[in-house]
Amino acid sequence: MALRTAIADTYEAQGLATDSGHLLPTSGADAALSLLSAAYLRPNSRVVLGFPTYPGALALFRGARARLVSQPLTPAAGTSPPWIVPSRLPGRP
């Protein structure tokens, strides 16, 4: 709990309201992606990944039997595909 509080205090000092109970420190990117996969993905869930992407993410999402969709990350393509509407993402109002 002390680590969560220290992280929250750091964000608070930068002007970002943060509740330490909403933080889940992990040992790294793979651990975080693994937790997210277990919580949110079911077989055949669609995962949109930027290309190029982190190879560890590919392995984790394939292990979760997700369907991977590649989105090129170029200045011409931008960083948000036009067919993603934020209000339609799971968990969004």
Side-chain angles (χ1 to χ4, degrees), residues 48-72:
V48 180
L49 296 162
F51 179 81
T53 195
Y54 171 55
L58 293 172
L60 282 162
F61 293 140
R62 284 183 182 136
R65 297 187 300 165
R67 293 185 315 170
L68 305 181
V69 178
S70 179
Q71 170 62 36

Side-chain angles (χ1 to χ4, degrees), residues 24-40:
L24 181 60
T26 66
S27 61
D30 286 349
L33 290 173
S34 181
L35 286 170
L36 290 169
S37 293
Y40 292 106

